[in-house]
Amino acid sequence: MLLKSDSRDQEWVRAFFEVMPDLQVRVWPDIGDPSEINCALLWGPPPGLFEGLDSLEVIFSIGAGVDSLLDCPGLPVTVPIIRMVEPELTAGMVEFCLFHVLRFHRLMHRYQHQQTERHWQDLPQVPARETTVGIMGMGVLGTALVKQLHSLDYRVIGYRRQEGGDGTVEMFHGEAQFEAFMRQTTILVLLLPATAQTRHIINQDTLGLLPSGGYLINAGRGELVDEGDLLSALQSGWLQGAALDVFETEPLPQESPLWNHPNVFLTPHVASITHPASACRYIADAIQDYRSGKTWPYQVRLNQGY
Ligand code: NDP
Ligand code: OXD
């Protein structure tokens, strides 16, 4: 196993040892003979990493998102790429989104300003069932979030490319239903991957479809949102607030006006992280299943915008 990690090399090596004690883990860049390597677990691979990996059979992504992997020059396109799906990563993302949904719905951002000004004024308490949370990106993370939002009685709607869904949530699909989805959404949650189709999917025009006074939570990727358009929508008051974990440029540049906006809450791409212990169990199970004839789980569909 070739490991190029997210700066937690030793934690990953220990986790692999617990789950697959016989596995030889070679930590980038000290990888020995590249032709002996048949699996890789990667986050942000540098150009040149794939050189000489002639026996590579599968690539696991440390992250749920595979955009940085797909952008890496020399990526072997015939080798299966497997997305990370593990319970702690999912739980962390659900917590992050839930926290911000509750913050906005219960107007905590406004009470926070009142506290700064030492002046209280009661604000309306709108029942959760009268607040519509719209989720774009109804995959592993979006679907897990729906369950928790429902348990708190929120009205949840979802948007995807094609018709489908498990029937637990009202779904909108395709370009034709996008406007209807946006017009009904009070709190928009982005859990989409960064692809050619999703770049700047949130812009002046699409923000204009939200009802006035809405909110945005972006935990997907920075590329999804045109930050200039987002700022205009916040400054005009069309959007009342935003919680952003991901940005067009990361780390967020010092000069970005987002830092100082009173109703914008920023975190440095930490909405959720992959936990090595459960991730290694996922990888071990996937390898074992594959060897016994099953297909790889969560394989990236390169030709479908994945
Ligand atoms: P999935 O692949 O399971 O879900 C993504 C969903 O997005 C798919 O179900 C797909 O649905 C939908 N989708 C893709 N393109 C479009 C489009 N053009 N329009 C509408 N829907 C689209 O991924 P995960 O749920 O596991 O993760 C989602 C993203 O969250 C990751 O790609 C990553 O960018 C981000 N992430 C961020 C983290 C952070 O810390 N900030 C941590 C983990 C993940 P369909 O095919 O039905 O259209
Ligand atoms: C991921 C991430 O994609 O942390 O998992 O961004």
Side-chain angles (χ1 to χ4, degrees):
M1 173 73 71
L2 159 61
L3 170 70
K4 158 69 185 69
S5 90
D6 46 357
S7 79
R8 293 182 292 169
D9 289 346
Q10 287 319 308
E11 206 180 323
W12 281 104
V13 170
R14 276 198 301 277
F16 270 124
F17 184 72
E18 289 290 317
V19 179
M20 292 185 273
D22 298 330
L23 182 77
Q24 208 187 106
V25 182
R26 298 188 187 172
V27 181
W28 174 264
D30 195 11
I31 65 164
D33 179 355
S35 70
E36 291 172 356
I37 286 170
N38 41 33
C39 297
L41 174 64
L42 307 176
W43 180 251
L49 176 136
F50 294 103
E51 272 167 32
L53 299 184
D54 302 328
S55 310
L56 196 60
E57 291 169 39
V58 61
I59 299 169
F60 290 93
S61 166
I62 285 187
V66 290
D67 39 309
S68 71
L69 194 53
L70 299 187
D71 286 347
C72 181
L75 177 77
V77 288
T78 53
V79 176
I81 298 171
I82 314 303
R83 294 190 327 97
M84 181 53 65
V85 177
E86 63 93 359
E88 308 290 350
L89 175 68
T90 303
M93 183 57 86
V94 170
E95 288 159 8
F96 178 90
C97 295
L98 216 47
F99 171 82
H100 286 294
V101 166
L102 283 161
R103 176 209 279 275
F104 289 137
H105 156 227
R106 291 304 312 272
L107 305 175
M108 289 301 141
H109 57 299
R110 289 179 59 190
Y111 281 117
Q112 203 168 331
H113 295 313
Q114 291 191 14
Q115 183 177 338
T116 313
E117 286 160 18
R118 297 173 183 239
H119 173 76
W120 294 129
Q121 189 187 349
D122 289 4
L123 299 169
Q125 184 184 327
V126 178
R129 67 177 176 282
E130 290 172 23
T131 302
T132 303
V133 181
I135 304 177
M136 288 181 77
M138 286 292 294
V140 172
L141 302 177
T143 307
L145 176 61
V146 169
K147 226 169 131 184
Q148 297 302 326
L149 289 168
H150 274 160
S151 76
L152 293 175
D153 215 18
Y154 285 101
R155 175 175 180 241
V156 187
I157 56 178
Y159 177 77
R160 55 185 302 169
R161 285 171 293 189
Q162 271 124 29
E163 198 165 2
D166 61 7
T168 59
V169 63
E170 190 182 343
M171 290 298 304
F172 294 77
H173 65 271
E175 273 179 36
Q177 296 184 359
F178 181 70
E179 180 170 342
F181 166 80
M182 292 292 273
R183 289 208 185 280
Q184 293 185 42
T185 293
T186 310
I187 303 177
L188 179 64
V189 180
L190 302 182
L191 283 170
L192 288 166
T195 67
Q197 295 79 40
T198 61
R199 185 178 157 70
H200 286 184
I201 198 163
I202 299 304
N203 55 44
Q204 186 182 10
D205 294 340
T206 54
L207 285 168
L209 298 174
L210 290 174
S212 166
Y215 299 92
L216 174 73
I217 298 169
N218 185 10
R221 281 291 182 267
E223 292 88 331
L224 304 174
V225 177
D226 183 317
E227 281 173 10
D229 290 354
L230 171 63
L231 269 158
S232 305
L234 285 160
Q235 271 148 9
S236 70
W238 187 258
L239 213 56
Q240 278 197 64
L244 309 172
D245 182 58
V246 285
F247 306 93
E248 293 197 79
T249 304
E250 293 182 8
L252 183 66
Q254 287 295 321
E255 62 276 16
S256 169
L258 288 170
W259 286 105
N260 296 324
H261 197 285
N263 287 337
V264 174
F265 299 92
L266 307 176
T267 43
H269 201 143
V270 292
S272 192
I273 56 165
T274 302
H275 285 61
S278 48
C280 288
R281 278 194 294 277
Y282 165 73
I283 292 169
D285 288 348
I287 292 175
Q288 197 179 15
D289 285 353
Y290 184 72
R291 286 192 181 142
S292 66
K294 293 192 184 153
T295 53
W296 290 112
Y298 300 105
Q299 183 172 346
V300 176
R301 296 161 297 162
L302 286 174
N303 56 348
Q304 293 176 35
Y306 75 89

